[in-house]
Amino acid sequence: MALALIEGAGMALSEAGALTETDTGCRLTGVAFNDGTYLHFRVGRVDWAVDGLAALRAGDGSAVLAADIAVTDARFFPQPPDDWFAWMMEVQNRRNLIGGRLRARMDVAAEVIEIEEFSVDFPGRNGVSLATRAEGGLGFGMTSGGFDAMRLRRFELQVENEGYLDGMYLGILTERLRRRGDDPKAVEAALKAEIQGLVRALPDAVFPGPTRDALLRLVADGPAPWGRLTLSLEAGEGLSLNRFLDAELAADPFSPQALAAAMAGTTVTIGYEPWGARE
C-alpha cells in the first residue's frame, strides 16, 4: 500500500525497502524515491495499522475505520548530477531527520471523522501538528448537501518555526510579491499594512482582542516569523462547511461581515510566541 501511494504520487522508487508484519500492523524499512529531477527522499521506517477497512468496503453501516501511521527517520535532499555537489548535499542533510504521525478514525454510524493527531517534526524547533473533529454529512458524500450537513466541532493547530520552514514557502511567496513591484522592502511594508488592517477589522465575536493582537505580532515578525503559533477553533453548535460556499460570501470571503456570518457561534483563539529578533 505504501509503495503504491508513492508511485501514485508520481514518484520513482530507487529502493523498495523491506516489508514485514508486526504485532499491530505492517512495517516498511529502507525505502527511497525521487521526483524524477534532483529531489530525493529516504525513509528509515514506516509503521502502519488500519482497522475496519474490510467492513467499510463491504458497506457495513456500523463500520469504524481507524488508522495509525508513523514515519521515522525520513529526510529529503537535492542530488544534482555533479558528484561533489551531490556528496556535499548528502553529508549536509544526513542528520536532518523528519518524523511524523497520523492517528485518525471514522465512525460511519455516528457520522464522525476525527483526526486525533497529525504531526510532522522537522530538525530543531520546527514542526506542525493538528487535531480536528467533524460530525455529520457522510451519507451525502462530497456534495453540497454533505458540506451543509457536516459540522466542524473542533480544530487545533500548532506550528513551530526556527528557520527550517522558511525555505518551504519563501520561494513561492517571493514570486507572488514580485508582481506587486520592484522594491522588495516597499512591497513588504505595504503588504504588512494591508494584512494588519484586515486583522484589526476581524469581528470581535469570532476573533477576540487577544487573538487579533497575536495575529498582529505574527504579521510584524513576518515574512519569515520564528516562533510558536497556536490556533484553537471551538464551535459549540458546529461550524457548517457549506457556509463558506455561500454565494453572498464568495465575493469577499474575508470581509468582517462575511466572516461573522460564516463563523457565527464560533470562537477562534490564536497565540503567537516569537523566538527572538533576527538580523
Side-chain angles (χ1 to χ4, degrees):
M1 182 179 71
L3 298 180
L5 288 174
I6 291 172
E7 293 179 323
M11 299 290 181
L13 279 171
S14 53
E15 296 179 30
L19 180 64
T20 57
E21 291 188 6
T22 66
D23 293 339
T24 57
C26 297
R27 172 174 293 172
L28 180 65
T29 56
V31 64
F33 50 97
N34 62 79
D35 68 348
T37 60
Y38 295 153
L39 194 59
H40 286 242
F41 302 83
R42 185 176 296 277
V43 181
R45 189 176 80 225
V46 183
D47 294 280
W48 71 92
V50 180
D51 296 321
L53 188 58
L56 184 67
R57 287 175 172 172
D60 186 346
S62 62
V64 177
L65 179 67
D68 190 342
I69 305 170
V71 177
T72 306
D73 291 347
R75 59 192 175 103
F76 62 90
F77 52 93
Q79 195 167 54
D82 181 89
D83 288 342
W84 276 107
F85 191 46
W87 171 82
M88 183 185 75
M89 290 291 98
E90 172 74 17
V91 171
Q92 180 178 321
N93 288 281
R94 71 189 186 280
R95 293 191 180 93
N96 286 341
L97 300 178
I98 302 168
R101 183 81 179 269
L102 170 64
R103 294 187 299 113
R105 62 185 295 274
M106 180 175 70
D107 188 324
V108 176
E111 292 195 300
V112 171
I113 299 176
E114 186 168 17
I115 298 177
E116 299 169 335
E117 175 188 357
F118 175 74
S119 61
V120 182
D121 294 319
F122 299 104
R125 284 197 299 179
N126 300 278
V128 179
S129 64
L130 68 83
T132 187
R133 177 185 175 93
E135 301 175 0
L138 293 183
F140 293 89
M142 299 298 288
T143 64
S144 178
F147 282 120
D148 190 46
M150 183 174 287
R151 296 287 188 273
L152 183 65
R153 295 288 186 182
R154 179 175 60 90
F155 181 86
E156 296 175 357
L157 172 70
Q158 177 173 289
V159 179
E160 291 185 329
N161 181 42
E162 199 173 38
Y164 192 87
L165 302 181
D166 293 354
M168 295 185 179
Y169 68 88
L170 276 178
I172 299 173
L173 179 63
T174 299
E175 287 305 309
R176 292 183 178 275
L177 293 181
R178 187 191 302 273
R179 304 168 193 167
R180 289 175 166 247
D182 297 326
D183 185 341
K185 293 290 186 181
V187 170
E188 177 187 339
L191 180 60
K192 282 187 175 182
E194 180 181 333
I195 297 175
Q196 287 168 341
L198 291 174
V199 170
R200 292 188 178 98
L202 289 173
D204 185 69
V206 180
F207 300 88
T211 285
R212 297 197 302 276
D213 291 341
L215 285 173
L216 290 173
R217 291 197 301 273
L218 176 66
V219 174
D221 201 24
W226 280 22
R228 179 183 293 111
L229 172 71
T230 57
L231 182 151
S232 176
L233 184 151
E234 293 291 341
E237 297 181 0
L239 178 60
S240 170
L241 302 184
N242 206 38
R243 293 184 191 175
F244 295 94
L245 304 178
D246 190 289
E248 295 181 4
L249 302 180
D252 191 2
F254 296 108
S255 70
Q257 295 81 5
L259 286 172
M263 302 182 70
T266 303
T267 301
V268 178
T269 303
I270 294 176
Y272 176 63
E273 174 193 351
W275 285 340
R278 309 173 314 289
E279 297 295 333

